[in-house]
Amino acid sequence: MHTRHQRRVWFFGIALLVLGGALAVLGLGIGSTGFESLLAAWSDPVALRIVWDIRLPRTLGAWLAGALLGLAGSVAQGLFRNPLADPYLLGSASGASLGVAVALLLFGGSAASTQWAMRLGLTGAAFVGAVLAVMLTLVLARGVQQTLRLLLAGVIVGVVLGAAKDLITIASADILQAIQGFILGSTGLVGWSACAVMAAVGAACLLLGWALAPVLDGLALGEATARSLGLPLGAMRATLVVVLALATGAAVAQTGLIAFVGLAVPHLVRSVVKTTHAGLIVLSAAMGGLLLMAADLLARWLIAPQELPVGVLTAVLGGSYLLWLMHRRSARGGVA
């Protein structure tokens, strides 16, 4: 039985990677006019440059951002022992939005300055804002010893920083369109440098999360049980919070606020296979990358040459799945 479960986990992981590779190839052919043949691009230097410099990093970046959010979601749900926890629970989303709003206010709201800021300053401002928000949450919660206090502190920080962002937006209405684009999420500006940053952060977070997965397994049995196993919960919780903050901050800084990926992906994985947190973290990263890549392809293709905000599509897809999951579980409970 144990061997059969392991085989299913391995088969599911390989299937996610194969599907991701297939979608990546498909993404290379989707442009402003819809789907285009890749064979024609090989004979056209301009088309080949578009594929290499724009479509490929965007497609790969969507996978990396989704992988970071999926990884962060599985860590958050295990750390808080709450299936409704998402990567933005510690205030990182509001902190990133406030950082972007402050950067836009400093750079100005004109089209030229906004474009320059997007390329040089907004990603750094979003990352710094997300990390500072998590640090503020930790200060208010007085560390990571009490999960409930950490959760409440994250909610308070998110509300306060979100209100500060709204005040800045009201005071400077010319940045409204730019900040709205960040909030809705987009993979359109992801380049090779962004892919390199997300890949480096993702590899480090994946290794740390996988190494600390036994802590999450212990916490799933209760804090008393985890302590009885001799686990240093304080230091390990702090490290998991760092993993959560880095993964979320790196993804948000490059793509904006992508909704529901981190929340829905662990549920998707658990509905297919039963595994420990070590397997859940790895599979959630692969599933998150697949989900966000699929949403990015749909965003480019559905109303080409116009694009839909990718965060809207993930909210529709992820929210619809969670509603269906809730309906199915309530129906089972009613039958029982």
Side-chain angles (χ1 to χ4, degrees):
M1 183 69 69
H2 183 66
T3 304
R4 187 175 66 181
H5 281 301
Q6 286 183 332
R7 289 178 179 175
R8 187 171 183 178
V9 169
W10 277 101
F11 178 79
F12 184 54
I14 293 172
L16 290 176
L17 294 178
V18 171
L19 287 174
L23 287 182
V25 174
L26 184 63
L28 299 182
I30 296 181
S32 59
T33 58
F35 183 76
E36 303 170 359
S37 174
L38 288 177
L39 295 177
W42 291 109
S43 58
D44 186 350
V46 176
L48 185 60
R49 187 173 184 83
I50 291 174
V51 169
W52 178 258
D53 290 338
I54 298 178
R55 296 180 191 171
L56 181 56
R58 174 174 181 167
T59 303
L60 180 59
W63 190 93
L64 290 169
L68 285 168
L69 292 175
L71 184 156
S74 61
V75 170
Q77 291 179 13
L79 181 63
F80 293 106
R81 290 182 292 165
N82 189 335
L84 296 179
D86 73 347
Y88 304 145
L89 202 57
L90 296 181
S92 57
S94 298
S97 300
L98 179 59
V100 169
V102 171
L104 287 172
L105 183 64
L106 295 177
F107 292 143
S110 65
S113 62
T114 300
Q115 183 179 11
W116 179 82
M118 283 292 291
R119 292 186 177 181
L120 298 180
L122 288 192
T123 55
F127 182 79
V128 171
V131 172
L132 289 179
V134 174
M135 292 176 63
L136 179 59
T137 298
L138 293 176
V139 171
L140 292 179
R142 298 176 183 176
V144 296
Q145 298 298 328
Q146 297 187 17
T147 303
L148 181 58
R149 179 181 291 176
L150 186 63
L151 179 62
L152 292 176
V155 172
I156 294 171
V157 169
V159 172
V160 172
L161 297 187
K165 180 264 298 179
D166 291 337
L167 289 175
I168 292 176
T169 304
I170 293 174
S172 181
D174 53 350
I175 69 172
L176 179 60
Q177 184 175 1
I179 194 66
Q180 185 178 21
F182 178 83
I183 293 174
L184 292 177
S186 174
T187 55
L189 294 175
V190 175
W192 285 116
S193 59
C195 289
V197 170
M198 288 191 290
V201 173
C205 291
L206 187 62
L207 288 175
L208 282 174
W210 184 80
L212 294 175
V215 180
L216 298 177
D217 293 333
L219 287 174
L221 302 174
E223 292 193 13
T225 302
R227 288 194 181 93
S228 68
L229 295 175
L231 297 174
L233 291 184
M236 289 186 170
R237 270 180 176 165
T239 306
L240 286 170
V241 168
V242 171
V243 170
L244 178 60
L246 288 178
T248 306
V252 168
Q254 305 298 338
T255 62
L257 303 183
I258 305 294
F260 272 100
V261 172
L263 176 60
V265 160
H267 291 278
L268 279 168
V269 174
R270 284 192 291 262
S271 67
V272 178
V273 295
K274 304 300 180 183
T275 181
T276 62
H277 278 90
L280 179 64
I281 287 173
V282 176
L283 292 177
S284 294
M287 176 65 81
L290 180 66
L291 179 61
L292 187 51
M293 187 190 297
D296 175 62
L297 298 185
L298 288 175
R300 286 189 268 165
W301 174 71
L302 284 177
I303 58 172
Q306 301 296 320
E307 287 190 17
L308 290 171
V310 69
V312 173
L313 285 177
T314 58
V316 171
L317 295 174
S320 299
Y321 169 74
L322 290 177
L323 287 174
W324 173 80
L325 186 64
M326 291 175 60
H327 173 72
R328 188 182 69 171
R329 289 184 175 179
S330 62
R332 288 181 177 179
V335 172

